[in-house]
C-alpha cells in the first residue's frame, strides 16, 4: 500500500477535503452554541428563585451600638 502521487495531483483533493472539514466543523460549533444556549435557558427557567435572605450588602458592617 505504499502508493505515491505527486503533490500537484494530491493538492486539489487536499484543498477540497480541508474545505469540507472546515464547513462540517462550523456546523458542529453552531449546533453546540445553540444547544448551550437552550440548556442555559432551560436551567434558568427550572431553577427556583433565590430564597430572599437578608441583603448583606444593604446592612451596615457593624451594629449601631459598636459604632460609638
Amino acid at each position: 500500500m505504499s502508493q505515491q502521487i505527486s503533490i500537484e495531483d494530491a493538492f486539489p483533493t487536499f484543498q477540497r477535503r480541508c474545505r469540507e472539514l472546515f464547513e462540517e466543523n462550523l456546523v458542529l460549533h453552531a449546533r453546540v452554541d445553540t444547544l448551550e444556549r437552550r440548556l442555559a435557558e432551560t436551567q434558568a427557567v427550572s431553577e427556583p428563585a433565590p430564597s430572599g435572605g437578608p441583603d448583606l450588602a444593604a446592612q451596615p458592617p457593624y451594629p449601631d451600638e459598636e459604632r460609638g
Side-chain angles (χ1 to χ4, degrees):
M1 289 271 298
S2 137
Q3 197 175 24
Q4 294 183 359
I5 61 173
S6 71
I7 293 175
E8 291 81 17
D9 290 339
F11 191 67
T13 302
F14 174 78
Q15 278 185 313
R16 178 182 50 81
R17 188 65 182 136
C18 285
R19 189 172 38 254
E20 290 170 356
L21 290 171
F22 179 77
E23 290 170 359
E24 290 172 14
N25 196 25
L26 277 177
V27 169
L28 290 173
H29 279 283
R31 288 183 67 192
V32 166
D33 290 343
T34 301
L35 291 172
E36 285 177 342
R37 192 168 41 253
R38 286 175 52 193
L39 177 62
E41 290 170 0
T42 302
Q43 288 175 339
V45 169
S46 65
E47 288 180 1
S51 64
D55 185 4
L56 298 178
Q59 296 179 1
Y62 303 103
D64 287 336
E65 59 237 14
E66 289 184 15
R67 283 192 185 179

